Amino acid sequence: MSVESPKRGLVVSYFGHSVAVKTASRQVLQCHLRRNQPVPVVGDWVKFEEDNSGSGHVLEIEPRRSVLMRGDGRGDSKPLAANLDVMVIVMAPKPIFSDYLVDRYLVAAHLLHLKPYLVINKTDLLSEAALLEQKAEIAPYERAGYAVYFTSAIAPAGVQNLAQGLAKQTAVLVGPSGVGKSSIIAALTHDAIRVGEVSAK
């Protein structure tokens, strides 16, 4: 079995003992991890070697310019994503909407030097009056200079606007369970990737 010289690629998903790496030619290649090797996360740039079987092995993780961490049950920190540009804070209308959680995520975004975008999803569930009320509640964030998007599974224009705002940037979607993060990612990527979420605890 011949092995090619090391290449550089971007980790776009992980599967436990392997990661999906997007190559310079935009091919997505499954790369295995060696035992006791540091585990790459989505957003990591890695060096890998490709073999004739159509898969490869990760050799090393390049230095990260940013990393999103989350504590586990033992008090240790676990990396979730790396080299991010944008934190997309996803909320749904009341009773899920929480300005307290929005503010927590905004603080985290600023500490990580990420641009925060605010998304109110599932707007199709609102009456016209309730939508106006929700827009009034989010208006202070717009006045403070934050980008705000209103999205819905049945109205693609909102997701298209978000996609334009995210162009050529690496983003992480955060927010409580049930706000539709998976649906937004599926719409943005046309179901081309597996979805992982970061939820509030």
Side-chain angles (χ1 to χ4, degrees):
M1 178 181 67
S2 63
V3 178
E4 297 184 3
S5 57
K7 298 180 179 180
R8 184 174 188 255
L10 176 68
V11 175
V12 296
S13 187
Y14 62 92
F15 308 95
H17 298 293
S18 66
V19 294
V21 176
K22 185 167 71 173
T23 68
S25 62
R26 304 189 69 82
Q27 174 190 8
V28 177
L29 185 74
Q30 185 177 13
C31 291
H32 302 285
L33 304 175
R34 294 186 170 90
R35 183 175 297 179
N36 299 324
Q37 183 178 26
V39 178
V41 295
V42 172
D44 270 326
W45 288 94
V46 297
K47 293 288 189 352
F48 69 95
E49 58 184 12
E50 185 177 358
D51 57 42
N52 290 335
S53 69
S55 61
H57 288 85
V58 173
L59 300 175
E60 64 176 297
I61 303 172
E62 295 186 1
R64 296 163 171 162
R65 58 182 171 83
S66 67
V67 58
L68 178 65
M69 309 286 288
R70 180 170 65 184
D72 60 21
R74 297 174 297 180
D76 298 323
S77 294
K78 177 183 178 181
L80 295 177
N83 303 316
L84 300 167
D85 303 302
V86 179
M87 179 182 289
V88 180
I89 303 166
V90 184
M91 287 285 164
K94 288 183 175 180
I96 294 179
F97 180 83
S98 167
D99 52 5
Y100 170 73
L101 280 180
V102 171
D103 292 346
R104 284 187 60 188
Y105 283 126
L106 287 175
V107 170
H110 286 295
L111 288 174
L112 291 169
H113 305 289
L114 304 179
K115 290 182 289 185
Y117 290 1
L118 306 183
V119 172
I120 306 299
N121 195 32
K122 300 187 177 183
T123 55
D124 56 295
L125 302 179
L126 296 175
S127 66
E128 185 175 346
L131 179 58
L132 290 175
E133 182 179 344
Q134 181 66 71
K135 288 184 175 181
E137 190 160 12
I138 206 74
Y141 296 101
E142 290 185 285
R143 290 195 294 269
Y146 296 113
V148 175
Y149 298 87
F150 293 87
T151 58
S152 164
I154 63 173
V159 174
Q160 291 171 359
N161 291 337
L162 177 60
Q164 292 173 1
L166 293 175
K168 299 183 179 180
Q169 299 185 98
T170 302
V172 60
L173 273 67
V174 301
S177 298
V179 296
K181 297 186 294 294
S182 297
S183 298
I184 292 174
I185 294 174
L188 289 171
T189 63
H190 306 290
D191 294 309
I193 64 172
R194 288 179 59 175
V195 173
E197 297 183 352
V198 180
S199 296
K201 296 294 184 181

